């Protein structure tokens, strides 16, 4: 099958959230299964810092009365062809934000549609979040191109219909009050990044005002759990760690804890209960719960706490003030640092993720992979990936709580802190988590079945060797 991924992010080139991880990893595994998968994304101003891009474009086009160029390269560390859309609106060294965000991503979707019609014609365009939401609308009358629309975060729904009509072409048959609503109606299949979240978004608590529509089209909505790149994220070979280790050599792991404490300015104490958090500092991630109960927890215990991430200025300020109150016990790193995030996973005893909602979540799976026991709220993909520890029956991989309340989070953290004292049981808990398989192989097969269902190919059949793709050279 010929599949074009269209996305605002693709790790490691451009990554803000879980979408970047998906688009950076899934195409690689689909290509190994014999499919011709390619990625189309913006040529951001920081791209030349991270990779070499050819000087000459492979195609020039026009959309929304704007000329643009497309450059072809390869996603780092893979054999996945990467097409980069060059236009002045993407010159700033940022992925999101700015007063022109609605316009630039609507233009991006329009350019991707022109690219698919006129240069490389896929059988399926796999669209990701509202940035690509108009593509299913435009492709609906085309019998040769089908669309899959993946919801990574339903809270961000794109520009309203009246704004879209000011910027671009809205066909006469288009329905939906905003970009996200239009996308889920006109895509051939809609999926979210975990089975639980696929059901939750059909309820008022998680539907972000689209629950009625998502329930109505429920027959074409499914949930496929994200995977992680187990080749890159492997504690036995990770070059960013102070000490590499595996599930059978957990006795080596504490060296990473001591190195992390030294790196971020915490008191060096091998026996301290070290909590880690790598996240966007936004309300969705449960920061309001943490701010309400962290003082109480720090007073009751001897724990240490490290936070790595950036986000809302309010939460950044609150965490800075807390850090000042607990010198040597709390560290706030307001930055994005991939290498440091790996050292947090490898050095902390437990990983905190008290999300208000979580479509899937990658961090808890990475934490499990690195022997860092997750503490999570039971919602979305966290339900599908972390089970509550039962030390009597030796089952479970972490600690969970249900209600989005400060007291429930506090109780969960205290239970985890107390369990840490029982070293033998704690080691067994770590080992159960490290043995969990969250590789992309399983999820990639489910995506192939999803694509096959759209094209009428029996899922059990092995996909044939891809033919040479049709190349349509436009006048440009």
């Amino acid at each position: 099958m010929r599949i074009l991924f269209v996305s605002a992010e693709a790790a490691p080139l451009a990554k803000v959230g879980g979408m970047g991880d998906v688009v950076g990893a899934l195409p690689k595994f689909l290509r190994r299964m014999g499919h011709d998968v390619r990625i189309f994304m913006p040529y951001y101003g920081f791209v030349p810092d991270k990779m070499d891009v050819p000087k000459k474009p492979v195609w020039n086009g026009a959309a929304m009365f704007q000329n643009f160029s497309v450059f072809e390269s390869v996603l780092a560390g893979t054999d996945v062809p990467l097409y980069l859309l060059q236009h002045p609106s993407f010159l700033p060294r940022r992925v999101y934000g700015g007063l022109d965000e609605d316009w630039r991503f609507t233009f991006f979707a329009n350019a991707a549609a022109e690219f698919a019609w006129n240069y490389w014609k896929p059988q399926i365009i796999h669209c990701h979040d509202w940035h690509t939401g108009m593509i299913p609308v435009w492709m609906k009358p085309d019998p040769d191109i089908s669309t899959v629309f993946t919801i990574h975060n339903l809270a961000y729904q794109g520009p309203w219909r009246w704004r879209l009509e000011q910027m671009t072409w809205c066909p006469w048959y288009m329905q939906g009050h905003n970009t996200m609503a239009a996308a889920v109606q006109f895509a051939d299949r809609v999926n979210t990044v975990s089975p639980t979240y696929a059901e939750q978004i059909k309820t008022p608590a998680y539907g972000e005002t689209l629950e009625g529509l998502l329930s109505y089209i429920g027959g074409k909505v499914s949930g496929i759990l994200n995977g992680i790149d187990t080749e890159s994220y492997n504690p036995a070979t990770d070059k960013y760690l102070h000490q590499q280790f595996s599930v059978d050599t957990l006795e080596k792991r504490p060296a990473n804890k001591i190195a992390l404490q030294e790196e971020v300015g915490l008191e060096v104490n091998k026996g301290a209960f070290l909590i880690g958090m790598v996240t966007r500092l936004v309300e969705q991630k449960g920061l309001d719960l943490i701010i309400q109960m962290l003082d109480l927890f720090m007073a009751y215990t001897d724990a240490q706490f490290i936070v790595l991430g950036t986000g809302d200025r309010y939460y950044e300020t609150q965490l800075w003030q807390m850090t000042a109150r607990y010198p040597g016990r709390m560290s706030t790193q307001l930055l994005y640092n991939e290498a440091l995030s790996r050292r947090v996973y490898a050095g902390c005893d437990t990983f905190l993720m008290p999300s208000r909602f979580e479509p899937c979540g990658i961090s808890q799976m990475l934490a499990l992979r690195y022997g860092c026991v997750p503490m999570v709220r039971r919602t979305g993909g966290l339900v599908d990936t972390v089970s509550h520890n039962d030390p009597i029956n030796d089952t479970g991989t972490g600690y969970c709580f249900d209600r989005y309340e400060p007291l429930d989070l506090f109780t969960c953290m205290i239970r985890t802190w107390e369990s840490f004292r029982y070293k033998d049981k704690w080691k067994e808990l770590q080992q159960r988590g490290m043995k969990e398989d969250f590789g992309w192989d399983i999820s990639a097969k489910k995506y192939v079945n999803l694509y096959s269902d759209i094209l009428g190919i029996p899922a059990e059949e092995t996909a044939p060797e891809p033919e040479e793709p049709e190349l349509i050279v436009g006048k440009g």
Side-chain angles (χ1 to χ4, degrees), residues 158-471:
W160 291 79
R161 172 68 179 263
W162 63 266
R163 177 66 176 139
L164 287 167
E165 290 178 343
Q166 290 179 342
M167 296 187 293
T168 190
W169 171 52
C170 295
W172 62 269
Y173 55 81
M174 176 178 165
Q175 298 176 358
H177 64 281
N178 62 27
T179 316
M180 180 74 77
V184 299
Q185 288 183 78
F186 287 92
D188 293 287
R189 294 292 185 278
V190 177
N191 83 288
T192 66
V193 287
S194 72
T196 298
Y197 191 63
E199 294 304 313
Q200 286 183 328
I201 60 174
K202 299 174 186 176
T203 67
Y206 295 91
E208 303 289 348
T209 73
L210 293 184
E211 61 273 6
L213 174 59
L214 291 164
S215 297
Y216 178 72
I217 63 163
K220 68 176 184 181
V221 178
S222 61
I224 300 176
L225 191 67
N226 280 347
I228 57 175
D229 190 338
T230 53
E231 296 170 7
S232 173
Y233 291 97
N234 183 356
T237 59
D238 195 330
K239 64 182 180 180
Y240 295 110
L241 303 189
H242 177 77
Q243 173 65 61
Q244 296 169 346
F245 63 96
S246 68
V247 66
D248 297 318
T249 58
L250 267 177
E251 66 277 3
K252 296 181 180 179
R253 190 177 184 275
N256 291 298
K257 181 176 184 176
I258 294 171
L260 179 64
Q261 289 171 329
E262 291 176 343
E263 181 178 0
V264 300
L266 296 174
E267 179 187 347
V268 176
N269 182 353
K270 181 180 175 181
F273 182 58
L274 181 54
I275 304 171
M277 197 171 183
V278 179
T279 184
R280 286 181 295 116
L281 302 179
V282 294
E283 187 264 346
Q284 172 207 335
K285 298 298 183 178
L287 270 298
D288 54 324
L289 293 187
I290 294 170
I291 289 170
Q292 290 180 70
M293 51 64 59
L294 190 59
D295 280 318
L296 179 61
F297 178 77
M298 296 294 271
Y300 186 79
T301 70
D302 60 351
Q304 296 179 347
F305 188 37
I306 174 174
V307 182
L308 171 62
T310 60
D312 292 350
R313 184 63 57 86
Y314 170 75
Y315 293 121
E316 291 183 352
T317 303
Q318 290 290 319
L319 289 170
W320 263 113
Q321 292 175 349
M322 285 188 169
T323 301
R325 292 200 293 271
Y326 301 102
R329 292 185 60 197
M330 183 170 175
S331 175
T332 299
Q333 304 290 319
L334 298 179
L335 49 90
Y336 171 79
N337 187 319
E338 172 69 18
L340 179 56
S341 71
R342 292 168 182 252
R343 292 193 284 272
V344 170
Y345 296 129
C348 289
D349 299 303
T350 186
F351 189 84
L352 182 58
M353 211 165 172
S355 304
R356 183 171 69 83
F357 65 92
E358 194 63 62
C360 177
I362 297 289
S363 297
Q364 79 279 10
M365 292 187 272
L366 297 176
L368 286 167
R369 177 86 169 146
Y370 282 73
C372 187
V373 176
M375 290 188 288
V376 304
R377 177 170 176 258
R378 290 179 51 81
T379 185
L382 301 176
V383 174
D384 300 317
T385 53
V386 180
S387 54
H388 192 70
N389 179 41
D390 181 353
I392 296 176
N393 296 308
D394 293 327
T395 59
T397 56
Y399 283 86
C400 312
F401 67 101
D402 290 295
R403 296 187 308 161
Y404 192 74
E405 296 288 344
L407 182 59
D408 291 57
L409 171 59
F410 177 75
T411 304
C412 181
M413 293 177 72
I414 292 295
R415 293 182 68 180
T416 312
W417 171 69
E418 290 178 338
S419 299
F420 179 67
R421 293 183 295 173
Y422 301 93
K423 301 303 181 185
D424 291 341
K425 285 290 186 181
W426 187 265
K427 182 179 178 181
E428 293 174 9
L429 177 59
Q430 289 176 294
Q431 290 174 327
R432 286 198 298 272
M434 293 182 73
K435 290 177 181 177
E436 292 282 293
D437 183 8
F438 293 116
W440 267 110
D441 294 326
I442 299 170
S443 298
K445 291 176 183 176
K446 293 181 179 179
Y447 274 106
V448 169
N449 288 341
L450 186 67
Y451 303 145
S452 300
D453 182 45
I454 296 173
L455 300 178
I457 302 171
E460 64 273 12
E461 283 189 9
T462 302
E465 288 295 317
E467 300 176 2
E468 188 64 22
E470 178 183 1
L471 190 65

Side-chain angles (χ1 to χ4, degrees), residues 57-62 67-69 114-115 117-120 471-476:
V58 294
W59 187 63
N60 296 303
N67 294 321
F68 63 85
S69 299
E114 293 293 335
F115 176 84
W117 279 322
N118 298 296
Y119 183 77
W120 188 73
L471 190 65
I472 310 169
V473 181
K475 295 178 181 179

